[in-house]
Amino acid sequence: MTTIRREVLTLPAAPQGPDNPLPPLRPLDEAHRIDDRDRAGLPRDMARQVDYEPLRSLLPVMVRDGYGRAREPRELDALVIENDRLRATVLPALGGRIASLRHKPADRELLYVNPVLQPANFALNGAWFSGGIEWNIGATGHTTLSCSPVHAARVPAPDGGEMLRLWEWERLRDLPFQVDLWLPEGSDFLYVGVRVRNPHERPVPTYWWSNIAVPEDRRVLAPADEAYHFGYERRLRRVPVPEYDGTDRTYPLNSTYAADYFYDVPDGRRRWIAALDEHGHGLAQTSTDVLRGRKLFVWGTGPGGRRWQEWLTEPGTGGYCEIQAGLARTQLEHVRLDAESEVSWLEAYGPLEATPDGDWHTVLRGAEERLESALPRAGVDAAYEAWRAHADTEPGERLATGSGWGALEALRAGWKLPGTPFGEETLGEEQEPWLHLLRTGTLPESGRHEPPGSTLVARPWRDMLETTAATPLAEYHLGVAQWHGDDRAQAVRSWERGLKNAADRWPLLRCLAAADQADGHPERAADQYAEAFDDLCEHQPDPERASDADAPDRGVRWTAVAAALGREAIGALLAVGRTADARAVWERLDPATRARGRFRLAEGELLAAEGRHEEARAVFDEGFEVADLREGDESIGALWARLGDEPLPARHDFRMRPDAR
């Protein structure tokens, strides 16, 4: 009998810390962009989807960069779904990630299980961690929900047993989605039904990739003779499979640099991918045909790829690669989801035994025959049809609670979404001012100096902000919404109006500084940043004098504000050669902030700008770790190169591409 139960996992985990309180106004620093030279030869549907509304802003989501690297044992709530053949462990507070999938008869783990929980800067909004099976929705990249809670509940399964439903509201595209997991009695495969809905009266771009981490000492099989290769040099090339550039790339350890291989599975062919060890044991993933794409991601054997592997887990724990499945051929595309429509499919995950080595077509034929024997393609289609009859079933016992953003949107629009209820009981502190705006037409002012909080930027919320009283806080939020809507001149006017009566000027000044940067006015941006940081320091509360019960939380919030604004201000001031002003900002940051790796790097850059190269080099000698280093970020190596000709130390080598040619 299939069971669902609660469990607690204890892992060494780094603290997640507070979100960055500054709205992300700058364009996305996204590595997954195609060089214009590679667009001409793309298939017509692929080219259309590559150009279809790529994400240009993270708003309304905030950046998560407050985590560190000091890990301590932490208890994680888990939900375990199990039959007599498989056991799947799900982490509802971390995006619904499947942390483990164990085949019980063989006592064999089918996934790469990370022994630690270490956030790193890979999600669209920052914090992400490696391992297991993750559900990526929203836009090109790892989902903003990587380290966020989702709703979870028991639901009747198609076979009369129990099903675990996960659901949430994806805020980048404003789309609700659900993931239903169940194990038919005696099944060696975990079934996963997925549905993404568009309740809007307009088409919306959507995106989905299921990412599966497996040990990298495998051969990866997918039914294709060609693939699109994409590396961090941002070139997209069509290459043969399995051998490319004289090397069989279906063995992840044969690649030197990190790369994606998007397999071009022919129309009509069964959709599947597998990773098998040298003995022929491993994991297979298959699906109904809607989930058309299949991909292999490799870190490569170069020093940068190995360093990233160590960074995400612990040295000596073994590396991993990712096999993936998505709605399009590549992750560079977004798919049109028509107004008031939905897209759904079924996936299945389970063990596969087949011969991994030998002639490519012989190996594929053998693996496909074994998969068909273990789980017929017609059986997957039938399971999908059976599941669709249960997709609208209302959840039973609630097992975990996600965010209140879906409840707020459902209240605003009056949407009824059978099967995925977003109840008012899930509304929380973050939604409170927006609920007040919705119900009364006014945005409440904070009674004391506080960071302004998250902004909602969708058109209906912007319309409400345009008709509410023009307080400094309302003008701030309206400007952010206008900026997101690419109405930049109006955004600047809103922020300038808000300044006239603002008690706290720094949020508005910072927005104006970011606007000046975007418009190519670095000197004016530096002035605005310096003034914003001065104003922040004047209003920042003294934690030693605070007496209210909320003082510790306020202290954390204000420290996060000072760190975020100080970091931007130092960068803007250094960009125009104002080293003395940058130094003044640096010295007003609290010691704990200055000790963080990101700010040690900033200190090195500041010292180098001041001509104090030996002291800048000493920062490297003393050692630092930039916890939120972005994938593809080469700033550490660039600073090192300014200080001398020695090779970059291995601990700082995160380069993910060959030298530019």
Side-chain angles (χ1 to χ4, degrees):
M1 178 181 291
T2 298
T3 61
I4 300 173
R5 69 177 189 275
R6 301 177 189 270
E7 198 171 88
V8 175
L9 298 183
T10 301
L11 290 178
Q16 185 165 305
D19 288 356
N20 188 317
L22 306 182
L25 301 178
R26 297 178 181 178
L28 282 176
D29 180 20
E30 177 52 54
H32 302 93
R33 294 282 187 265
I34 299 179
D35 190 295
D36 288 340
R37 291 172 289 178
D38 300 324
R39 292 177 180 269
L42 296 179
R44 185 171 300 175
D45 63 330
M46 186 173 167
R48 182 174 62 250
Q49 292 181 161
V50 165
D51 291 329
Y52 179 48
E53 295 195 35
L55 193 68
R56 294 182 173 86
S57 168
L58 271 180
L59 290 166
V61 177
M62 305 297 268
V63 171
R64 289 202 154 139
D65 60 4
Y67 51 87
R69 291 191 56 79
R71 297 189 286 265
E72 294 182 354
R74 172 179 155 196
E75 292 186 346
L76 303 174
D77 290 332
L79 300 172
V80 177
I81 179 169
E82 183 172 16
N83 66 0
D84 60 336
R85 310 290 293 177
L86 282 178
R87 180 170 62 248
T89 303
V90 180
L91 302 177
L94 295 166
R97 181 86 57 106
I98 297 180
S100 168
L101 183 62
R102 194 159 195 89
H103 188 224
K104 294 163 70 173
D107 193 26
R108 182 177 295 122
E109 176 60 52
L110 300 180
L111 305 175
Y112 168 78
V113 176
N114 197 332
V116 303
L117 177 58
Q118 177 56 64
N121 194 355
F122 279 76
L124 284 165
N125 62 332
W128 171 87
F129 65 103
S130 63
I133 304 173
E134 58 176 311
W135 318 112
N136 288 300
I137 180 173
T140 299
H142 292 283
T143 177
T144 61
L145 296 167
S146 293
C147 292
S148 295
V150 297
H151 302 281
R154 299 179 193 268
V155 182
D159 63 352
E162 286 190 317
M163 187 161 61
L164 175 61
R165 175 163 297 165
L166 311 170
W167 73 99
E168 243 308 343
W169 192 274
E170 199 288 308
R171 301 182 66 206
L172 295 178
R173 304 297 197 182
D174 268 337
L175 299 178
F177 71 96
Q178 72 189 75
V179 178
D180 290 351
L181 302 96
W182 81 100
L183 286 165
E185 185 175 353
S187 174
D188 278 317
F189 281 80
L190 173 70
Y191 289 177
V192 181
V194 182
R195 175 167 63 168
V196 182
R197 286 190 273 200
N198 176 14
H200 303 281
E201 296 178 347
R202 67 182 192 283
V204 176
T206 192
Y207 172 97
W208 185 280
W209 281 81
S210 301
N211 289 10
I212 309 126
V214 294
E216 65 183 351
D217 57 346
R218 300 289 189 265
R219 191 182 197 191
V220 173
L221 310 179
D225 292 326
E226 292 184 301
Y228 290 93
H229 169 273
F230 185 76
Y232 281 81
E233 63 273 26
R234 302 188 182 187
R235 298 300 309 274
L236 185 70
R237 301 180 179 91
R238 195 174 179 92
V239 300
V241 175
E243 189 172 302
Y244 161 54
D245 200 19
T247 302
D248 189 332
R249 306 291 174 167
T250 61
Y251 294 90
L253 290 172
N254 282 353
S255 291
T256 304
Y257 296 100
D260 300 326
Y261 293 91
F262 298 103
Y263 296 112
D264 194 3
V265 180
D267 291 341
R269 193 80 181 264
R270 182 175 186 176
R271 263 55 187 168
W272 64 276
I273 192 168
L276 304 178
D277 67 17
E278 60 181 341
H279 305 294
H281 305 305
L283 170 79
Q285 187 271 2
T286 187
S287 71
T288 48
D289 289 353
V290 167
L291 201 67
R292 67 172 299 180
R294 292 299 184 274
K295 170 192 157 182
L296 165 64
F297 167 74
V298 300
W299 282 106
T301 57
R306 305 329 292 172
R307 182 67 179 117
W308 272 117
Q309 294 256 35
E310 294 175 353
W311 189 253
L312 293 168
T313 179
E314 289 184 331
T317 55
Y320 75 97
C321 63
E322 289 178 352
I323 57 175
Q324 307 182 13
L327 281 175
R329 280 191 185 93
T330 73
Q331 289 172 336
L332 308 167
E333 304 166 66
H334 297 93
V335 176
R336 176 188 168 108
L337 189 56
D338 288 333
E340 299 178 333
S341 70
E342 63 182 51
V343 61
S344 62
W345 62 90
L346 185 114
E347 305 180 45
Y349 297 81
L352 182 68
E353 295 189 8
T355 301
D357 301 322
D359 170 72
W360 180 242
H361 291 105
T362 302
V363 167
L364 285 184
R365 186 165 53 251
E368 205 156 23
E369 289 172 355
R370 297 299 295 269
L371 178 60
E372 183 66 18
S373 176
L375 183 63
R377 184 180 186 180
V380 174
D381 292 338
Y384 168 72
E385 294 300 330
W387 167 71
R388 286 292 294 130
H390 292 258
D392 285 349
T393 302
E394 289 303 306
E397 180 192 358
R398 302 302 174 89
L399 301 172
T401 303
S403 78
W405 295 114
L408 185 66
E409 292 299 327
L411 278 173
R412 179 191 61 76
W415 285 318
K416 303 298 182 185
L417 299 165
T420 55
F422 294 96
E424 291 188 43
E425 71 280 359
T426 64
L427 292 165
E429 183 180 354
E430 284 187 291
Q431 293 81 42
E432 189 174 324
W434 300 99
L435 183 63
H436 192 276
L437 176 65
L438 180 64
R439 288 177 168 166
T440 70
T442 61
L443 193 66
E445 288 282 341
S446 174
R448 58 186 179 186
H449 299 295
E450 286 288 350
S454 297
T455 301
L456 293 180
V457 296
R459 188 73 217 200
W461 293 105
R462 175 177 165 179
D463 291 344
M464 283 183 253
L465 288 168
E466 287 176 340
T467 56
T468 192
T471 64
L473 182 63
E475 296 285 13
Y476 164 84
H477 285 301
L478 174 58
V480 174
Q482 290 166 331
W483 184 267
H484 175 265
D486 208 26
D487 196 351
R488 295 191 170 189
Q490 285 288 7
V492 169
R493 282 193 282 271
S494 295
W495 292 327
E496 288 175 341
R497 283 196 306 268
L499 269 179
K500 294 177 182 177
N501 299 307
D504 293 288
R505 295 168 54 82
W506 66 263
L508 295 150
L509 287 167
R510 182 266 174 178
C511 290
L512 290 168
D516 280 330
Q517 280 185 322
D519 292 339
H521 304 296
E523 284 285 358
R524 199 162 65 198
D527 288 339
Q528 304 269 30
Y529 267 121
E531 187 179 351
F533 195 76
D534 287 343
D535 185 73
L536 174 70
C537 291
E538 288 181 15
H539 291 104
Q540 191 165 355
D542 184 349
E544 295 182 1
R545 296 182 181 178
S547 58
D548 57 288
D550 191 36
D553 290 339
R554 291 187 73 205
V556 169
R557 289 196 293 270
W558 276 98
T559 298
V561 169
L565 184 57
R567 175 177 165 181
E568 291 187 10
I570 290 170
L573 290 162
L574 287 179
V576 295
R578 291 168 57 175
T579 55
D581 292 333
R583 172 64 64 182
V585 173
W586 165 263
E587 290 176 348
R588 280 180 288 175
L589 295 171
D590 70 89
T593 297
R594 292 201 302 261
R596 289 168 52 187
R598 169 62 63 184
F599 290 88
R600 295 305 312 281
L601 176 60
E603 181 184 19
E605 292 169 338
L606 178 56
L607 289 165
E610 293 170 331
R612 299 155 66 182
H613 285 201
E614 290 187 7
E615 293 172 75
R617 172 61 185 267
V619 172
F620 281 91
D621 295 339
E622 292 164 10
F624 63 89
E625 292 185 320
V626 181
D628 64 325
L629 188 71
R630 184 70 173 165
E631 63 169 319
D633 187 339
E634 298 178 354
S635 59
I636 295 177
L639 175 58
W640 178 266
R642 289 171 60 190
L643 302 177
D645 298 327
E646 296 180 33
L648 183 66
R651 68 181 181 276
H652 292 303
D653 190 350
F654 294 92
R655 292 171 292 189
M656 300 176 73
R657 61 181 180 132
D659 293 336
R661 290 191 289 270

